[in-house]
Amino acid sequence: MLRDISEIGLACLSIHEVPEMTLVGLDFALPGATERHAVKGAVVRCEPTTDDKGKRVYDLAVYFTDVPPVTKAALRNYVAKGKKV
């Protein structure tokens, strides 16, 4: 479950433990859009926690290492909409 996304990475909850520095591929669509994006990244944090039902999950952070230009622009636009002036 996605918790936060930025131009350089994301934070999410996972039912799977993923060792730090594992390279991952992620496919996603931004809210309100139908276009799918594919990025590559490295896990930079994986800490055990519990979800709202008390089930064990993992708090993951992924730093993007390969972001296509169209995805970079889409992320920049999406993040800019959420910033308060």
Side-chain angles (χ1 to χ4, degrees):
M1 174 182 288
L2 183 66
R3 294 185 326 119
D4 187 29
I5 192 163
S6 73
E7 295 176 54
I8 62 168
L10 61 79
C12 65
L13 294 178
S14 173
I15 60 171
H16 301 287
E17 181 177 15
V18 182
E20 290 181 6
M21 302 314 294
T22 298
L23 298 178
V24 295
L26 302 164
D27 295 317
F28 59 89
L30 294 168
T34 58
E35 183 178 10
R36 306 258 336 144
H37 299 280
V39 299
K40 294 179 183 173
V43 174
V44 293
R45 181 181 69 240
C46 183
E47 298 173 348
T49 188
T50 54
D51 65 12
D52 57 355
K53 296 177 183 170
K55 183 178 176 183
R56 184 181 183 119
V57 293
Y58 296 90
D59 181 15
L60 288 177
V62 176
Y63 174 78
F64 297 149
T65 59
D66 184 14
V67 183
V70 68
T71 299
K72 193 174 286 192
L75 284 167
R76 186 179 315 112
N77 290 335
Y78 178 75
V79 170
K81 290 178 187 175
K83 289 184 180 175
K84 295 188 167 117
V85 180

